Structures are given as C-alpha cells and as structure tokens.
Amino acid sequence: MEVINALGRRKSAVARVYVNSGKGAITINDRPLEVYFKEGTLQYIVQQPLELTGTIAQFDIKVNLDGGGIKGQAEALRLAIARALCKINSEAYRPVLKSNGILTRDAREVERKKPGQPGARKRFQFSKR
C-alpha cells in the first residue's frame, strides 16, 4: 500500500496526515500519541475514526500538527484521519464515519475584533449625557 495523505482543519489548527499499513502507531510531530496528547479524552477524539471502522491496529499514521490549541488540534487530526480512511476504502468506511458526523468540517472560527469596540460583539457602555 502506498502512502495516503489527507488534511484536516479546525479553528486555526491544521493537521497533515500520512497513512501507511503497519501496526497502529500514531506519531505526532515526531512524538507518540500518548506523549503529545496527555489527556485521555483527547486521545479518544483522535482514535475515534479508527475505532469506528475497526482499523485501530492496521495503519501507521504520521502527523504534522500546526496552529491552534490542543483541543482544536485533536479535532483537526480526527478529521484528517477520517478523510484518509475514506481515500483508502470509501465503500467500507465512509457510511460509518458519515453517520457519526466525523467527516463534517466544523467551520466555526473566532470572529475578529472590530475597531472602536472592546471585542468582536461587545460595545463600550452607552452614555446619553
């Protein structure tokens, strides 16, 4: 099997994934999954597409993660892995991933701060006199 690559984004985090056949090792920025994501919930988010499709020990995954916070990075990585699995075998994996909502790109971004205001939506206190 040749190397399959995919891209996942969430907020300002970008995950570039390279998948080959292997024993299930996930390497993120040259560190193992358990070292990069210390929280169990974040490890669960990353491994969700592999668990749903039953391919947890079939592929070695190498990841370049950049930008955003730790949760945004985990969700970007989840989307990238799901997209890579769809490239490998679309008929088998796509219906399962789509029904669980993992193939949907979460488009919510931080709204920019506007000039003359303290934040994106907040206004300074209005004074009539």
Side-chain angles (χ1 to χ4, degrees):
M1 177 183 142
E2 74 280 357
V3 177
I4 304 290
N5 64 326
L7 185 80
R9 290 193 189 99
R10 171 74 172 100
K11 293 187 177 180
S12 60
V14 179
R16 287 181 280 287
V17 169
Y18 304 93
V19 179
N20 358 336
S21 55
K23 294 192 170 27
I26 300 175
T27 310
I28 305 165
N29 295 347
D30 299 321
R31 290 187 283 179
L33 172 70
E34 292 76 24
V35 174
Y36 195 87
F37 292 118
K38 291 180 177 31
E39 273 189 55
T41 55
L42 297 175
Q43 292 174 20
Y44 171 76
I45 287 171
V46 170
Q47 293 174 338
Q48 226 176 349
L50 298 169
E51 288 174 5
L52 288 170
T53 55
T55 56
I56 199 97
Q58 289 183 17
F59 303 111
D60 282 346
I61 301 172
K62 187 177 178 297
V63 183
N64 290 333
L65 259 177
D66 188 38
I70 199 86
K71 179 97 192 277
Q73 286 185 348
E75 292 180 1
L77 180 51
R78 176 176 66 180
L79 178 62
I81 291 172
R83 285 179 172 173
L85 289 173
C86 282
K87 281 186 182 179
I88 292 168
N89 188 350
S90 184
E91 298 86 33
Y93 301 145
R94 186 172 170 82
V96 177
L97 294 170
K98 194 161 178 68
S99 65
N100 285 289
I102 293 178
L103 286 175
T104 306
R105 201 279 203 206
D106 194 346
R108 293 178 293 174
E109 298 276 340
V110 175
E111 191 174 335
R112 75 176 191 92
K113 182 194 170 301
K114 285 26 168 240
Q117 300 170 14
R121 298 282 177 97
K122 191 173 182 181
R123 306 287 192 259
F124 288 118
Q125 186 174 352
F126 177 73
S127 174
K128 198 172 222 178
R129 285 174 191 82

